[in-house]
Amino acid sequence: MPTVASATTPDIFGAAGATINYTGTTTATSFVACAAAQIGSTKTIIPETGAYLTASANLIVDGATSGDKLLPADSIIQVLALSTTKFKVTTISAYGLWTPSDQSGAGLTFTGVSASYAKTGGLVTLNFALSFPTTASAAAVLIGGLPFVAGAFGPASIQGFISATTSTITARGIYGGNSAAAFNIDKNNATEVAKNVDFSGCILYGIVIYRA
């Protein structure tokens, strides 16, 4: 298997073979232009260590056209040449950790966090456990930090469930709301959006499944 070192514009389509060992941590903003005959073809890269791609209109990474996107170590990444200078990057399989964060505006800090993900094709599965701080915030719970942005189906594809210690609210489900990179929690048979105060001092355990 040939090796290509990470660079600002690595030449993966110039390497022999369909699968490439991708080394280093330099952030790539594009790839060296491929030959016209390679348009429509793919290369599979396997990052040796975590590396980043800067998404753009000509480097579409898991549906995103902006931002730095992580290629996790030992993941399987497919790169499709849409033209000689435009590429579509898809994470075929990846496993790793993610960091849940409070996006409600209350400035909460979660502790005791244990969170992992698995991505196969476009399907992402998240598992997490975290402790809510003591809070009186009436803001709707909004947990972000998802490792991949919800794709063509948007927030509607984000679904899941949680259990929580000591909290008395019922029917706690997870849904995408208005964000493609965060989720809300409902309560009381899905008739209300859970607020931060509902989980004050609780430990949450959850699983989330969505399309990226």
Side-chain angles (χ1 to χ4, degrees), residues 7-210:
T8 304
T9 52
D11 187 9
I12 64 169
F13 280 88
T19 302
I20 296 165
N21 179 44
Y22 190 70
T23 63
T25 59
T26 302
T27 298
T29 57
S30 186
F31 298 115
V32 171
C34 68
Q38 293 177 301
I39 296 173
S41 67
T42 62
K43 291 283 188 176
T44 298
I45 60 176
I46 301 177
E48 192 172 271
T49 56
Y52 283 88
L53 299 179
T54 299
S56 66
N58 288 321
L59 186 61
I60 305 166
V61 183
D62 287 325
T65 55
S66 64
D68 289 340
K69 306 299 179 182
L70 174 65
L71 306 182
D74 299 320
S75 58
I76 300 173
I77 309 294
Q78 183 187 76
V79 182
L80 168 66
L82 298 175
S83 73
T84 58
T85 57
K86 184 174 182 178
F87 306 95
K88 180 180 180 181
V89 180
T90 302
T91 304
I92 301 301
S93 179
Y95 303 86
L97 304 178
W98 65 288
T99 304
S101 61
D102 172 39
Q103 300 296 313
S104 72
L108 304 181
T109 299
F110 303 134
T111 58
V113 174
S114 175
S116 62
Y117 71 83
K119 183 175 188 288
T120 303
L123 187 65
V124 181
T125 302
L126 311 178
N127 292 278
F128 69 90
L130 58 85
S131 295
F132 251 76
T134 300
T135 178
S137 168
V141 174
L142 186 61
I143 297 176
L146 275 61
F148 303 97
V149 173
F153 295 99
S157 76
I158 301 175
Q159 301 289 330
F161 62 89
I162 66 163
S163 61
T165 60
T166 71
S167 180
T168 59
I169 66 173
T170 60
R172 299 180 290 265
I174 287 171
Y175 66 99
N178 296 317
S179 174
F183 57 83
N184 298 102
I185 299 173
D186 64 31
K187 65 177 182 177
N188 300 334
N189 298 314
T191 60
E192 299 178 66
V193 178
K195 299 177 176 62
N196 289 322
V197 67
D198 293 320
F199 296 114
S200 177
C202 294
I203 300 174
L204 272 61
Y205 304 91
I207 184 169
V208 184
I209 299 175
Y210 66 101

